[in-house]
């Protein structure tokens, strides 16, 4: 049987990675959730040291983590543009 927690986890994409364009709102880097079924936007709160700029000018790859921060689903940076350029 599918639980509400399972459905919510699927809609939020916990554990999934997305390439998102971030903007700063009230001191937090945020993005619209790419899943239209998600009831929350994304707040990037981990891995910020990987960013060369804040907010970054290019999209970054983030992973959705299983907690809520300021009414948004939390995420961590796993790949920033700066890293992609330095590895080529």
């Amino acid at each position: 049987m599918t639980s509400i927690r399972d459905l919510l986890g699927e809609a939020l994409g916990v554990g999934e990675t997305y390439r998102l364009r971030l903007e700063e709102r009230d001191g937090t880097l945020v993005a619209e959730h790419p899943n239209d079924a998600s009831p929350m936007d994304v707040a990037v709160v981990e891995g910020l040291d990987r960013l060369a700029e804040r907010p970054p000018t290019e999209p970054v790859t983030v992973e959705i983590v299983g907690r809520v921060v300021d009414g948004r689903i939390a995420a961590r940076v796993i790949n920033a543009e700066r890293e992609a350029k330095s590895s080529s």
Side-chain angles (χ1 to χ4, degrees), residues 12 14 33 40-43 64-69 71-75:
L12 293 173
V14 175
H33 200 293
M40 297 181 197
D41 286 338
V42 176
I64 305 296
V65 297
R67 69 179 208 272
V68 176
V69 174
R72 299 178 179 106
I73 189 68

Side-chain angles (χ1 to χ4, degrees), residues 8-73:
L8 186 57
E10 286 178 26
L12 293 173
V14 175
E16 297 292 324
T17 58
Y18 301 100
R19 190 129 174 98
L20 301 176
R21 184 167 301 278
L22 306 176
E23 63 183 58
E24 192 160 0
R25 290 188 210 152
D26 300 323
T28 303
L29 292 178
V30 299
E32 284 187 29
H33 200 293
N35 182 352
D36 291 337
S38 174
M40 297 181 197
D41 286 338
V42 176
V44 180
V45 296
E46 297 177 17
L48 298 173
D49 57 325
R50 294 178 175 223
L51 301 175
E53 302 175 273
R54 190 172 169 160
T57 56
E58 298 295 323
V60 298
T61 303
V62 301
E63 177 183 14
I64 305 296
V65 297
R67 69 179 208 272
V68 176
V69 174
D70 296 330
R72 299 178 179 106
I73 189 68

